[in-house]
Amino acid sequence: IVCPDAGEVRVRIALMASNSEHPYGTEDGARNKALEQCLQVLQDAKNDSEQFAALLLVTKVVKAGEIDAGTRRRIFDAIGFSFPNRLLVTKESPHGCPSQIFRALGMTLLACFSTNPELVTHPQILNKIPIFNEIISSEMDTGADVATFTSMIDDCYQCLHAISAHPQGQRHLVTQGTVSALCQAYLNQSHGHEQALCLLVSLLIAMENKCWKTCKLDLLKVLIKLSEQFATEEDNRKFKLCNVLQHFLPAVPILTEDPSLTACLKNFHTGLFSILSSKLSISQRDPALKLAGLLLTVYGSDWILAENTETRSKFLALMVNLACVEVRICLEDPDLDAANSKPDVITACYSIIEFGMMVCVLGDKVCLTEAESNQLVQIMVEAFGAVIGYFKQVTEEQLWSPFLFASVRILGAWMAEETYALRQEICDVLPFLIRYAQMLFECPIKSDDLDNQVKGLSLADSSEATTWPKDALRFLLPGFCHLSAEDIPRRILISHGFHVLLLRYFTQQWEVFSSSQNSLILPDDAEMSLRTACGIFLNLVVTEPALIRQEECFSSLLSLLMESLQSLLYSQRHLILAANFTTLGLMMSRILAGTPVLQGTTVSRGFFRGTIHFLSKAHTTQLEEVVDRTQIVVTERYQEAWEQISELWFLGMQAFGSCIPLLPWLPQSVIESEWLSDIFDLLSKASPVTVEFDLVAAFQCVLTELAKNSKPCKDIILLNNGEEKANLYGMSALGQCLC
């Protein structure tokens, strides 16, 4: 083999692979005939020398730019894989030739093969991945030919890029160590390291969890290096790194797991502060806002490692201000069509604004003064005014847009926190929000494309399994709960049939929740939606009793509550939901006492046994050793959730007392439960001065109604020294009833 021919063949093959799709041989029959003869010689070659010579003939007959994909495939078929395979493992080179010349030729052949979509996932290509990894992460030997070595690396990257374009290829790259090799290539800053970074980004986009699981340490080293470059670079590369880091930042906050990694977060802060505090073009500002939104979503404010609290609060305010301004610019000018042209930027701004809302709620915990918080709220009000204005311009075609979903979600978060600002504007847009939520509820859609688009939402998990929630009500319910307590918004909700939609949603969420109760992973979102929906229904029960009587849907709701309560009572995990079901059911029973479901049926008796269980197990007695007296305290089972359920418990006691005169069969259920004895046992053991007035009033409400409406209950109360207890605890209404 003559060495110069080897180099010439390698160059000609590279040209042959990179040409365009011009048809070959349509005007030059002689050349076409020559090519056919060369291919035949190539196929008939008996050894490597003959194959090498035939390959040289082929490359001389074929001119770059005059070969189509079909002809190229015929040439590759004639060559086969055996020849390049032997070239790759040949370490010696003829005298006077660059070292690794044959290996470089083998790589050039494989790079040519990889241009064919049918060949790129061929096992003979995929099993070369370890060789590609070795070459791109290796260092050039002393005295080696630079051109040959760098060309071989370029051919490796061409193969890797081609493989990474296919899902099957991505899986092979990750499992065969390419991620580590790419990391090493970038850390060494060797030839082609920018291509290595590009490939790393594409693999992280496609298989983020798998990449981090298999190559966490290597990826962290690259992330640290990128963060250092991001903090120190002062040219256009700084803005390019913003785009790279968005994909490199893991979806879980692993940078806070090790104190040695905090420098990485500090670099993010330094780089972003430098960018955001400068005058920027749109192309420079957008990547910075996207990176800031992602960092806030994953790390909160922990990554803002400023020198002092003043600098930290100023940077927080700067980010929120810029995000609000960007939202206003994009949404207030319909000519920009930002909802279609840059939805990812605006949703990143939504993440920043949502964090701003949290900052204002926390106040002192993030070192913001009251004036600074008020200023942030004001600029956020202006941004949400733009969001509401955008809703008024939405067309029917845009109703399925993930960006609209993100906008509805962020307004829902605002309504959950801010109950006064933009109240009229929100009332104006309430019919649209109800219609939108109903549309998504009634017409769920499945679209992988939409799932991919929604990955930029702060609500969505940044993982390979991210899907569009398609559940707008989940995010609107907290705000609607506040609105349902006010007259004007509540009338709008009712007039647009929201209570009917809410019952349908409540029923669906209960099915989701109840079907998963026995699994290890419970749908927390479903439980939270059920709790919030109970709050809305409770507001309607308190403020609109006539509506409860008139609308059939509330009888259906009461039946569902009665049938479901028992399944929640004995689970510590669902105590808060049980409290909601209990109190809502009792409050509705006061209004619907005349309905058939409450006429002593098996379901109704079972429900009230459940309510008695919930109400009676909340308190016990405890000796206060310091002063040697016993007090009534919340039981251990209820303590953890008491802050969230105490109001429901007291309201439930009041509602239970109101049900007693309306349901003649109820006192007998109380007697059978021995609740009366439990109450007097508490009162007998406790020191009256230690018992809070609210608790005494709650007991008195139930005891008085039982004494008034049931002689057997009155007798039990008297047998338990009811008159004496009424006098000791100041229960005058009970005392008068017993006398």
Side-chain angles (χ1 to χ4, degrees):
I1 299 175
V2 181
C3 179
D5 287 348
E8 184 180 353
V9 169
R10 187 171 55 77
V11 173
R12 287 177 175 271
I13 292 172
L15 288 171
M16 185 173 66
S18 61
N19 70 64
S20 57
E21 295 299 318
H22 294 297
Y24 170 78
T26 56
E27 298 179 359
D28 194 341
R31 180 172 295 166
N32 190 32
K33 184 177 180 180
L35 175 60
E36 294 296 332
Q37 292 174 342
C38 290
L39 290 175
Q40 189 62 46
V41 171
L42 191 59
Q43 289 174 329
D44 295 340
K46 298 177 181 177
N47 53 50
D48 288 346
S49 294
E50 290 183 10
Q51 195 161 21
F52 207 157
L55 187 57
L56 178 58
L57 287 173
V58 170
T59 59
K60 286 185 175 181
V61 169
V62 175
K63 286 185 177 180
E66 293 185 350
I67 182 172
D68 59 15
T71 303
R72 193 160 58 235
R73 176 59 191 266
R74 291 183 61 210
I75 295 172
F76 297 157
D77 288 342
I79 296 171
F81 281 102
S82 296
F83 183 52
N85 287 348
R86 289 193 295 276
L87 290 172
L88 286 174
V89 298
T90 302
K91 297 183 179 180
E92 299 178 356
S93 59
H95 178 69
C97 290
S99 63
Q100 297 190 331
I101 183 64
F102 292 134
R103 199 178 202 196
L105 175 58
M107 276 307 313
T108 302
L109 285 169
L110 289 180
C112 293
F113 283 21
S114 71
T115 62
N116 189 306
E118 297 176 3
L119 290 176
V120 71
T121 55
H122 191 284
Q124 287 287 349
I125 294 285
L126 296 178
N127 66 18
K128 304 299 185 300
I129 290 176
I131 296 176
F132 304 153
N133 297 342
E134 175 202 340
I135 292 174
I136 63 173
S137 58
S138 63
E139 297 183 4
M140 188 173 66
D141 296 335
T142 304
D145 182 68
V146 175
T148 301
F149 182 74
T150 56
S151 176
M152 184 167 58
I153 289 179
D154 289 336
D155 288 336
C156 278
Y157 279 119
Q158 181 176 330
C159 292
L160 292 173
H161 277 293
I163 294 170
S164 69
H166 299 266
Q168 178 188 354
Q170 293 164 0
R171 291 191 293 272
H172 278 274
L173 291 175
V174 173
T175 56
Q176 295 191 52
T178 302
V179 174
S180 292
L182 293 169
C183 289
Q184 193 60 49
Y186 188 78
L187 292 170
N188 293 340
Q189 294 288 285
S190 53
H191 178 75
H193 65 273
E194 287 296 333
Q195 293 190 68
L197 185 62
C198 180
L199 274 166
L200 280 172
V201 169
S202 67
L203 289 175
L204 284 168
I205 291 173
M207 302 181 69
E208 179 185 12
N209 288 349
K210 187 71 172 178
C211 289
W212 277 101
K213 184 177 180 180
T214 56
C215 304
K216 178 179 177 180
L217 294 179
D218 292 321
L219 286 170
L220 279 176
K221 291 177 183 177
V222 176
L223 182 57
I224 291 171
K225 187 173 187 67
L226 290 172
S227 74
E228 292 170 351
Q229 295 172 335
F230 182 58
T232 56
E233 296 280 357
E234 293 299 334
D235 54 18
N236 196 51
R237 178 167 169 76
K238 194 181 200 76
F239 303 103
K240 292 181 179 178
L241 285 171
C242 274
N243 284 318
V244 171
L245 287 168
Q246 292 169 43
H247 304 295
F248 239 96
L249 196 67
V252 292
I254 62 176
L255 295 180
T256 53
E257 294 175 357
D258 187 340
S260 65
L261 298 175
T262 55
C264 194
L265 293 174
K266 185 173 179 61
N267 289 331
F268 289 141
H269 166 253
T270 302
L272 275 174
F273 185 79
S274 172
I275 293 175
L276 295 177
S277 58
S278 306
K279 290 185 177 180
L280 304 171
S281 66
I282 293 176
S283 62
Q284 294 169 331
R285 182 179 61 243
D286 288 355
L289 288 171
K290 289 167 66 176
L291 180 58
L294 180 58
L295 283 164
L296 288 172
T297 299
V298 178
Y299 290 96
S301 63
D302 292 343
W303 63 278
I304 305 176
L305 302 176
E307 297 176 359
N308 53 60
T309 55
E310 182 180 358
T311 305
R312 189 165 184 259
S313 63
K314 285 183 178 179
F315 184 52
L316 286 170
L318 173 64
M319 283 193 298
V320 176
N321 271 272
L322 287 174
C324 290
V325 169
E326 183 70 17
V327 168
R328 289 191 63 190
I329 291 173
C330 292
L331 297 185
E332 289 180 353
D333 186 351
D335 294 335
L336 292 177
D337 193 25
N340 292 319
S341 62
K342 47 193 291 185
D344 52 342
V345 177
I346 307 179
T347 51
C349 291
Y350 287 167
S351 296
I352 298 172
I353 294 172
E354 187 171 4
F355 179 76
M357 288 188 284
M358 184 193 74
V359 165
C360 293
V361 170
L362 294 177
D364 293 341
K365 294 183 181 179
V366 288
C367 308
L368 281 184
T369 65
E370 184 177 353
E372 289 171 333
S373 293
N374 291 337
Q375 186 178 12
L376 281 185
V377 169
Q378 183 54 45
I379 193 169
M380 285 191 286
V381 166
E382 296 171 358
F384 280 108
V387 173
I388 292 173
Y390 162 68
F391 290 153
K392 295 178 180 178
Q393 301 170 12
V394 170
T395 63
E396 288 293 327
E397 292 76 17
Q398 295 172 319
L399 288 175
W400 299 108
S401 163
F403 175 72
L404 175 59
F405 183 89
S407 301
V408 170
R409 178 196 172 278
I410 192 66
L411 183 64
W414 171 262
M415 293 190 300
E417 298 295 342
E418 176 53 56
T419 58
Y420 295 104
L422 295 173
R423 182 49 42 88
Q424 184 56 53
E425 290 82 352
I426 288 174
C427 286
D428 292 341
V429 83
L430 266 182
F432 167 79
L433 295 176
I434 295 171
R435 182 168 69 93
Y436 177 73
Q438 182 170 356
M439 180 195 71
L440 287 187
F441 176 74
E442 293 179 343
C443 305
I445 59 174
K446 295 181 179 180
S447 170
D448 293 337
D449 180 56
L450 291 177
D451 288 342
N452 290 331
Q453 291 179 48
V454 86
K455 285 185 179 181
L457 302 181
S458 62
L459 117 91
D461 298 326
S462 297
S463 68
E464 293 157 48
T466 300
T467 54
W468 186 16
K470 310 177 187 72
D471 182 2
L473 273 172
R474 173 156 61 98
F475 305 109
L476 290 172
L477 287 184
F480 282 2
C481 191
H482 291 312
L483 294 174
S484 64
E486 301 180 21
D487 292 341
I488 295 176
R490 184 174 62 253
R491 283 196 288 269
I492 296 174
L493 291 171
I494 293 171
S495 65
H496 286 83
F498 175 70
H499 54 290
V500 179
L501 172 62
L502 185 60
L503 174 60
R504 295 171 60 195
Y505 180 74
F506 187 90
T507 304
Q508 181 212 56
Q509 292 296 296
W510 173 252
E511 290 173 356
V512 171
F513 174 81
S514 58
S515 64
S516 305
Q517 280 196 72
N518 295 325
S519 66
L520 296 177
I521 301 176
L522 287 172
D524 293 335
D525 291 337
E527 179 167 1
M528 286 304 301
S529 294
L530 289 169
R531 291 187 205 170
T532 311
C534 283
I536 298 175
F537 282 130
L538 200 54
N539 286 338
L540 295 178
V541 169
V542 172
T543 59
E544 304 286 343
L547 177 72
I548 307 303
R549 295 188 187 94
Q550 295 167 4
E551 294 281 350
E552 181 64 30
C553 66
F554 290 103
S555 295
S556 301
L557 173 60
L558 180 58
S559 296
L560 191 155
L561 294 172
M562 288 183 169
E563 293 166 1
S564 308
L565 178 61
Q566 292 289 345
S567 65
L568 299 172
L569 285 174
Y570 302 98
S571 171
Q572 180 68 31
R573 301 165 69 182
H574 308 312
L575 184 59
I576 298 174
L577 188 58
N580 278 276
F581 274 40
T582 296
T583 302
L584 178 59
L586 288 171
M587 293 291 287
M588 294 184 69
S589 296
R590 294 162 55 244
I591 299 172
L592 301 176
T595 58
V597 72
L598 286 168
Q599 304 311 306
T601 61
T602 302
V603 172
S604 61
R605 290 178 184 274
F607 170 73
F608 275 90
R609 281 195 300 271
T611 63
I612 292 171
H613 177 89
F614 171 77
L615 296 172
S616 65
K617 302 300 180 182
H619 295 90
T620 187
T621 55
Q622 177 178 291
L623 177 62
E624 191 178 358
E625 295 181 356
V626 177
V627 292
D628 192 27
R629 61 186 181 185
T630 301
Q631 57 184 347
I632 298 178
V633 298
V634 176
T635 59
E636 183 178 354
R637 179 170 181 254
Y638 282 58
Q639 280 177 1
E640 183 178 346
W642 190 245
E643 185 176 345
Q644 298 182 69
I645 68 173
S646 59
E647 289 187 13
L648 291 170
W649 186 87
F650 283 106
L651 185 59
M653 289 288 286
Q654 180 183 343
F656 190 95
S658 300
C659 288
I660 292 170
L662 302 174
L663 303 173
W665 51 268
L666 184 53
Q668 182 59 36
S669 294
V670 174
I671 293 173
E672 293 171 0
S673 70
E674 299 183 351
W675 187 18
L676 285 173
S677 299
D678 293 339
I679 293 176
F680 281 103
D681 186 51
L682 291 174
L683 297 176
S684 298
K685 292 179 179 178
S687 173
V689 296
T690 67
V691 183
E692 296 180 357
F693 173 78
D694 288 346
L695 185 58
V696 172
F699 286 147
Q700 178 177 229
C701 173
V702 172
L703 293 173
T704 302
E705 291 298 335
L706 287 170
K708 282 183 180 179
N709 294 279
S710 170
K711 186 177 185 305
C713 286
K714 183 176 182 180
D715 292 341
I716 294 173
I717 293 172
L718 290 171
L719 286 173
N720 282 277
N721 299 318
E723 291 181 280
E724 178 187 346
K725 296 297 184 294
N727 184 47
L728 282 173
Y729 285 92
M731 294 188 282
S732 57
L734 176 60
Q736 292 176 3
C737 178
L738 294 175
C739 291

